[in-house]
Amino acid sequence: MNCPTLLRVVYSVIRQCIPILLCGIAAQSCSTLQQHASAHTESSGTVSSDNAAKARRIMREAGLHFSSDTTKAYSYDPPGSLVTTNKQIELPKRRVILFSKAGVGFSTDFDGARLNDVVMLNDSTFRATVAPENAPINFSAWYAFKVWSTIPSKIIRLTLTYTEAHHRYIPKLSRTPSADWRSWRPIDSTSYIPHYDSTGRTITSATLRLALTPDTLWVSAQELFTSRDFEVWSTRLAALPFVQKTVLGKSALGKPIIRLDISEARPDAPCVVVISRQHPPEHTGTLALLPFVEEFTSQTPLAQEFRKKFRVFVVPCVNPDGVDAGHWRHNAHGVDLNRDWYNFNQPETRLVRDALLHMRDSLKTRFVFGVDFHTTQHDIFYTLSNPPLVTAQDSIAYATIPEYSTYNTEAAQRSAFVEQWLERLQELFPTYQVTISDSPRTPHGATSGRWFDRELRAPAVTYEAGDETPRELIQSIGAASARILMQMLLDREKTINRSQE
Ligand SMILES: [Zn+2]
């Protein structure tokens, strides 16, 4: 059964079961990739009737997931991810480790580095341990280090092992690293041996064969792009007369969080919101964000017309502390920022929220789109489905909103806008699979996309580029998706204006 058909079936089941759901079943909608399916957690109560049990069985057979864990937002989240008060973290060690007998050195003395320990097994074999900033945590096992030999040439074997996780990223190597991904290349497959667990599906560790010279070799989970690179990129864009670069505020460790405003329109013009890098290792999300944002600054007639009618609000790096510390997921307080958009316990999420609410409340800004760039194993667009009714608590909460029916109609329009945007992207890239993972709106949703939808009433999407998606393709899709968005928003404004004449 394809996804839209499944969705219709599920929707009809849910509609029939709303009275049952109100008794306390948690459910979720269809996902094109079930392993990414979101499990909503506002579940409680007991299933007491035969009908409820039947509904539950039908939904389970349809691939829906039930969770009673109230500390997890998604099925792949570890327990406690929705608890966003400050947690204990291990600060990164910035150091050089020299094995003089073997003539080999390692360094983590740079932003973005992570390699917790290295031991020498013999003079050409080493084992490294990579650990997260705190635990439990998602398995985004980031590492980055420099390595060299003190003799003219030496081949070593280095096994990367992990605490709290499995191996995820294919190593990227560079001798002349820069912000340009072309200065890096994935390790040669003949020099990369993944080690699987007994299921044959999970890579527990990986051995790298590295050819060393005194010229430093950089090894990183993904191409390095730290807060300094965001600063350089933003400053370059801000040289354009219609780009304003300001500091939104300071991160937990006092690093500036950069804000860009792109526009030639009035201060209260309709606005597109773009954010990224809540999760430190998610560099391919940045690789999509950069051309996406740059499209709004181009000299094409489309971009020029767009800038005269719309504004673009950009926070390219929400979590500079985590990026520079080489974190796997969290900010300097050990918290997943993209689970803090309900409680707002962290300075970074509060800063973005306050700036946007100021625009909404003081300037009466209308928000026409919100996108948050991320990275996951494969390219996925997380969207919000309609109706906004799935869990029991959601149903009750939404039913108590006085303007519920208006809200529901507008929510459907927002979903349709995002759907149309992705359909056009698919038409433009017929050989590329635009994968959509649709999940329900929730009144307490703690991700940025849900907050953009709920508080800004903006069509919202979480844009995930894959770990190993070809970089040129990521850039092409990032740029094209911005062009499609500009055209759709301009067309829609013309329709709105005509209907008001
Ligand atoms: Zn992410």
Side-chain angles (χ1 to χ4, degrees):
M1 191 183 291
N2 65 26
C3 191
T5 311
L6 177 61
L7 249 185
R8 275 194 292 276
V9 170
V10 169
Y11 178 31
S12 88
V13 169
I14 290 169
R15 281 175 71 104
Q16 288 162 18
C17 297
I18 282 172
I20 302 165
L21 289 165
L22 288 168
C23 296
I25 299 175
Q28 73 165 61
S29 82
C30 142
S31 163
T32 48
L33 287 181
Q34 284 303 330
Q35 68 268 32
H36 290 101
S38 51
H40 290 269
T41 58
E42 291 90 347
S43 127
S44 65
T46 54
V47 180
S48 54
S49 74
D50 289 349
N51 282 342
K54 186 178 168 192
R56 195 173 177 124
R57 180 178 56 75
I58 291 168
M59 289 177 176
R60 193 184 296 116
E61 284 170 5
L64 301 178
H65 182 78
F66 295 86
S67 171
S68 57
D69 186 336
T70 54
T71 65
K72 288 168 65 173
Y74 294 90
S75 55
Y76 51 81
D77 276 350
S81 58
L82 286 173
V83 179
T84 60
T85 45
N86 295 5
K87 298 169 187 174
Q88 205 75 43
I89 70 159
E90 178 119 2
L91 290 168
K93 292 191 181 80
R94 297 286 175 248
R95 58 179 176 160
V96 173
I97 305 172
L98 269 178
F99 296 93
S100 7
K101 189 171 148 245
V104 174
F106 293 84
S107 170
T108 56
D109 194 15
F110 60 95
D111 280 348
R114 177 159 295 262
L115 193 72
N116 298 72
D117 202 8
V118 192
V119 293
M120 186 174 83
L121 304 180
N122 63 48
D123 76 349
S124 62
T125 310
F126 298 82
R127 188 177 66 231
T129 309
V130 186
E133 58 274 20
N134 61 345
I137 195 164
N138 300 61
F139 289 0
S140 303
W142 175 268
Y143 54 86
F145 56 90
K146 297 191 276 189
V147 59
W148 64 92
S149 65
T150 55
I151 54 176
S153 70
K154 185 173 179 99
I155 304 284
I156 66 161
R157 281 182 172 70
L158 171 70
T159 300
L160 297 175
T161 64
Y162 301 89
T163 59
E164 310 288 345
H166 309 306
H167 179 75
R168 170 165 167 180
Y169 301 104
I170 296 173
K172 313 295 181 296
L173 310 182
S174 178
R175 289 201 193 270
T176 53
S178 76
D180 183 349
W181 60 269
R182 292 174 192 83
S183 66
W184 297 81
R185 61 180 169 78
I187 194 168
D188 193 284
S189 60
T190 57
S191 298
Y192 173 61
I193 306 164
H195 305 291
Y196 291 85
D197 69 359
S198 57
T199 68
R201 288 194 293 271
T202 302
I203 302 175
T204 53
S205 58
T207 299
L208 323 182
R209 179 183 175 278
L210 300 172
L212 305 184
T213 69
D215 186 15
T216 300
L217 178 67
W218 299 62
V219 181
S220 184
Q222 297 284 25
E223 301 88 336
L224 273 179
F225 199 96
T226 63
S227 69
R228 194 172 310 160
D229 300 309
F230 281 107
E231 168 68 30
V232 170
W233 174 77
S234 304
T235 302
R236 183 170 58 75
L237 274 192
L240 295 163
F242 43 80
V243 180
Q244 193 187 7
K245 171 175 170 265
T246 50
V247 173
L248 198 60
K250 295 285 176 66
S251 67
L253 295 181
K255 287 182 189 273
I257 296 177
I258 297 165
R259 164 180 176 174
L260 295 171
D261 288 274
I262 303 166
S263 189
E264 295 172 88
R266 294 168 13 173
D268 60 348
C271 185
V272 170
V273 178
V274 184
I275 68 166
S276 183
R277 223 54 186 267
Q278 295 196 76
H279 296 148
E282 301 187 356
H283 175 57
T284 60
T286 298
L287 282 176
L289 170 132
L290 303 180
F292 184 88
V293 171
E294 285 165 8
E295 279 298 314
F296 297 111
T297 69
S298 86
Q299 288 306 325
T300 61
L302 175 66
Q304 289 188 32
E305 187 187 355
F306 185 82
R307 286 196 300 271
K308 290 192 171 67
K309 294 182 175 142
F310 291 88
R311 308 190 65 80
V312 186
F313 169 101
V314 187
V315 181
C317 183
V318 177
N319 186 3
D321 294 345
V323 168
D324 289 350
H327 281 186
W328 288 12
R329 182 84 173 178
H330 299 153
N331 73 342
H333 291 154
V335 168
D336 183 340
L337 293 178
N338 204 29
R339 301 294 179 269
D340 189 39
W341 290 78
Y342 183 73
N343 288 319
F344 290 98
N345 286 320
Q346 296 305 316
E348 295 88 356
T349 37
R350 278 201 299 270
L351 284 168
V352 183
R353 174 198 64 179
D354 292 350
L356 292 168
L357 289 184
H358 172 75
M359 291 169 74
R360 184 192 74 177
D361 299 336
S362 300
L363 299 171
K364 306 298 175 200
T365 299
R366 184 160 54 88
F367 291 93
V368 289
F369 198 75
V371 55
D372 182 4
F373 286 87
H374 288 254
T375 293
T376 192
Q377 278 86 354
H378 307 285
D379 299 19
I380 290 183
F381 295 90
Y382 286 113
T383 57
L384 295 170
S385 61
N386 230 38
L389 278 180
V390 170
T391 69
Q393 279 77 359
D394 291 355
S395 308
I396 293 163
Y398 277 110
T400 58
I401 298 172
E403 69 278 18
Y404 173 73
S405 60
T406 313
Y407 174 79
N408 200 15
T409 308
E410 290 174 1
Q413 289 165 356
R414 293 199 293 276
S415 292
F417 185 84
V418 174
E419 200 176 312
Q420 194 188 2
W421 176 64
L422 293 171
E423 275 170 13
R424 292 200 186 177
L425 188 64
Q426 183 66 83
E427 284 165 17
L428 208 58
F429 292 87
T431 59
Y432 170 78
Q433 176 61 48
V434 174
T435 303
I436 301 166
S437 182
D438 209 16
S439 59
R441 292 176 166 80
T442 60
H444 306 109
T447 59
S448 61
R450 288 195 157 76
W451 188 84
F452 294 161
D453 176 84
R454 183 174 68 232
E455 295 297 330
L456 304 182
R457 301 289 200 258
V461 67
T462 304
Y463 183 135
E464 305 258 4
D467 284 347
E468 306 302 338
T469 306
R471 280 31 183 164
E472 292 94 339
L473 181 61
I474 293 175
Q475 291 182 308
S476 300
I477 291 169
S481 56
R483 289 195 295 272
I484 295 167
L485 180 64
M486 285 192 279
Q487 192 63 61
M488 283 178 65
L489 287 171
L490 283 167
D491 291 347
R492 195 176 65 171
E493 289 300 297
K494 281 174 195 152
T495 311
I496 291 171
N497 291 340
R498 263 201 303 275
S499 68
Q500 288 171 348
E501 279 165 7

